[in-house]
Amino acid sequence: IFSWLAGTPAFIMDAIVDNSRLGPIIQEKILHLLDTQPDITPDTLHCISAKRPEQTPEEIEANLKVLKEKVQPFKVEVPADPANPPPEGAPPEDILPAEVEGDMGDLLQDLNLLERAGMGFGKDVALRLFLSLKKLLFKNPGTTEPEKITRVRLWGKIYGLDSDYIVAETVISDRLPNPPLPEGEPNPAIVPPDPVRSDYADFMTSTNDFVYFVCAEPGQPWQRLPDVQPSTVRASQGIRRFFTGDLTAKVASKGPFPGKEADYLRAQIARITADCRLAPRGHLADTTDYEGGGELQVQQSEEGTFFGMTGAELCELHKSAWVHSTLDVLPQGRSMYYNYGWTPPDDNPEAKDPRLEKNRPALASIHRDKAGMLGAPAWSAHLCGIRNSPFSSAVVRSNVWPGACTVGWGYTFANFYIGWGQRQTGAMFAPALSWSPPVEADQKEFARNDKCKGRVESGDFNLAPLPPPEEEAPPA
């Protein structure tokens, strides 16, 4: 290239240098080559005229302005708490570190998997949900010492009349009961709530294994829901009522409800989770020692025993493709039966508790679920797409809880709920049919007067006067 520059005519070099735009660029490139003396080959010759990666301050400022305009529509203004204003000069609370301690899973992949089933939020809302859950994991709202959120998962979304509830499922280490348990000797006649748990479990054995947080929109503050109580679960089974979006609202029903809408929402979440949390067959293994009378133990299967399933295999419900990964809720309102203190009588020591309630078998197939009020199976399954069936995901939907969905393919699967939080009754509302009006009588005494306007002052109906009685003939 230096020989080419030496042999370039003078008038061409003068034209290049005199060019106001091209001249400075050529001069800068030539000076750079003289300083570095690189080994130039025909393959790298085009790199000489490549644009330098550095940007001018004006260009950087212009790009930042464009990015701010794009992000502005997704920002939600949250008013500051007047009772606890932020200190002056404090950094904004919405700034999160790049790495947050805790487990969030692959939320974006799960949302992408759900989007194939037609239940996605869209790319923009999915990113906002990710940042909102990340903020929940970092801020730990609604917790007390020494509690700490260690795991977060998106449970779903429940519609409301005024606003919706976005529900997050969390695991809290060193967890304390909320509300606290009453002090003193417990009353054996009152059914206590299920025990709380401080670590993650693949198989739920308690309605209080997880802690749930709700918010109206991504970016708004998260509010912690209380632990579910057996009394609220029993009461919610006889209520069919839409949510309002206000956790402090009263629950108006045909009978008294022991709590506010937050307790009703928590009870519905417990019922939906107990019926609609699924796992593919072979993902979990029951290792309980039934002969020795040990406690129920269900955990992930050993490595190398679960090889994943295709979408077509996951749609074969009659072959037990999906199993329940939770215990069901008993009529007591708990997942584990609570013994009231019953003991067998002395004359019959082998007698069993007449009020004993049994759970369904662990890892029971969803094909065995009953939905007699529907006149149809409790679950339905289909492929997301049939053109590429080997790579299509399987979608399993609940017909008992409309909105409950599980999507899976291979080794991955995701449970999700989006709906009104109501159980299917099996029959639509239809008003009673009225009988056709009967034909009016044609007797003269029931004929109305032309001037009839209802009741008269005497209180009698203004009917036509009766004809005078016939005079009886005098006796002969």
Side-chain angles (χ1 to χ4, degrees):
I1 187 170
F2 298 106
S3 60
W4 176 81
L5 290 174
T8 303
F11 68 91
I12 296 180
M13 294 297 298
D14 294 341
I16 293 176
V17 175
D18 293 341
N19 192 322
S20 59
R21 298 181 58 184
L22 188 59
I25 298 176
I26 294 296
Q27 292 178 10
E28 183 180 358
K29 296 296 181 182
I30 292 174
L31 293 175
H32 178 70
L33 293 174
L34 293 175
D35 293 339
T36 58
Q37 297 290 331
D39 295 334
I40 300 176
T41 61
D43 296 336
T44 60
L45 189 60
H46 66 281
C47 299
I48 298 175
S49 59
K51 186 178 180 181
R52 299 181 62 181
E54 293 81 8
Q55 294 182 346
T56 61
E58 293 78 9
E59 294 175 343
I60 296 176
E61 185 176 356
N63 292 337
L64 289 177
K65 184 178 180 181
V66 173
L67 293 176
K68 289 180 180 180
E69 292 177 355
K70 291 182 179 180
V71 175
Q72 188 63 32
F74 304 109
K75 290 186 177 181
V76 179
E77 295 184 0
V78 180
D81 187 5
N84 188 18
E88 297 182 0
E93 295 185 358
D94 55 352
I95 297 180
L96 299 176
E99 298 293 337
V100 177
E101 182 182 358
D103 184 12
M104 292 185 59
D106 198 344
L107 176 63
L108 298 180
Q109 180 183 358
D110 293 344
L111 292 176
N112 187 24
L113 196 64
L114 293 168
E115 193 172 351
R116 300 182 186 179
M119 300 183 66
F121 293 95
K123 302 297 183 182
D124 299 336
V125 181
L127 182 58
R128 294 173 58 190
L129 284 171
F130 173 77
L131 296 176
S132 182
L133 292 175
K134 185 177 180 181
K135 184 177 180 180
L136 172 63
L137 186 61
F138 178 70
K139 295 293 184 180
N140 293 281
T143 60
T144 58
E145 287 292 336
E147 295 180 331
K148 177 70 171 63
I149 300 178
T150 58
R151 186 184 177 96
V152 175
R153 185 185 75 89
L154 181 63
W155 184 89
K157 181 177 182 180
I158 294 182
Y159 296 129
L161 299 178
D162 298 331
S163 61
D164 303 333
Y165 291 116
I166 297 176
V167 186
E169 183 182 89
T170 65
V171 176
I172 297 181
S173 61
D174 300 327
R175 178 181 167 190
L176 302 175
N178 181 29
L181 298 177
E183 299 179 357
E185 190 69 20
N187 187 356
I190 299 178
V191 180
D194 272 328
V196 299
R197 191 173 188 137
S198 299
D199 56 345
Y200 177 74
D202 294 296
F203 187 86
M204 292 183 58
T205 58
S206 169
T207 55
N208 289 321
D209 274 353
F210 301 103
V211 181
Y212 295 90
F213 291 79
V214 295
C215 70
E217 293 181 3
Q220 293 191 0
W222 291 94
Q223 300 184 28
R224 180 176 177 175
L225 295 180
D227 296 339
V228 65
Q229 304 292 327
S231 58
T232 59
V233 174
R234 293 194 302 268
S236 64
Q237 294 174 351
I239 296 176
R240 186 172 178 82
R241 181 179 184 274
F242 287 132
F243 294 95
T244 62
D246 182 11
L247 295 176
T248 60
K250 295 182 179 180
V251 180
S253 60
K254 59 182 180 181
F257 184 81
K260 303 292 184 180
E261 184 167 299
D263 303 280
Y264 177 48
L265 175 62
R266 182 63 182 87
Q268 293 296 92
I269 291 175
R271 296 176 61 197
I272 295 172
T273 304
D275 290 344
C276 304
R277 191 183 182 95
L278 310 180
R281 182 189 71 246
H283 177 71
L284 300 176
D286 186 1
T287 59
T288 307
D289 184 11
Y290 290 100
E291 296 181 357
E295 296 182 357
L296 180 64
Q297 293 183 359
V298 179
Q299 55 190 359
Q300 285 193 15
S301 57
E302 297 181 0
E303 185 177 357
T305 58
F306 179 63
F307 302 99
M309 304 174 69
T310 62
E313 293 174 345
L314 290 174
C315 289
E316 297 175 345
L317 302 184
H318 62 284
K319 295 183 179 180
S320 302
W322 295 91
V323 297
H324 288 282
S325 59
T326 62
L327 292 179
D328 56 334
V329 177
L330 299 175
Q332 274 188 340
R334 291 166 46 103
S335 292
M336 300 293 289
Y337 176 72
Y338 169 71
N339 189 356
Y340 294 90
W342 181 87
T343 55
D346 297 337
D347 56 349
N348 188 10
E350 297 181 357
K352 296 183 179 180
D353 187 356
R355 296 178 294 181
L356 180 63
E357 301 171 0
K358 294 184 178 181
N359 297 94
R360 65 184 173 216
L363 303 180
S365 173
I366 64 174
H367 185 62
R368 302 174 57 184
D369 291 356
K370 298 179 181 180
M373 70 286 191
L374 297 179
W379 296 87
S380 59
H382 63 88
L383 289 174
C384 294
I386 59 176
R387 293 185 178 181
N388 297 324
S389 57
F391 305 99
S392 300
S393 302
V395 184
V396 185
R397 298 180 183 273
S398 173
N399 299 324
V400 178
W401 291 97
C405 169
T406 303
V407 186
W409 183 86
Y411 294 91
T412 61
F413 63 96
N415 294 282
F416 193 73
Y417 179 84
I418 178 169
W420 292 94
Q422 302 298 324
R423 184 185 175 92
Q424 182 64 266
T425 59
M428 298 181 62
F429 172 76
L433 298 177
S434 60
W435 299 96
S436 58
V439 181
E440 294 187 0
D442 56 354
Q443 282 83 355
K444 294 183 179 180
E445 58 269 19
F446 293 104
R448 292 184 177 275
N449 191 355
D450 296 338
K451 300 180 180 180
C452 178
K453 296 182 179 179
R455 290 179 178 270
V456 295
E457 296 181 358
S458 61
D460 299 330
F461 283 104
N462 187 10
L463 302 177
L466 296 176
E470 298 179 357
E471 296 183 359
E472 297 181 359

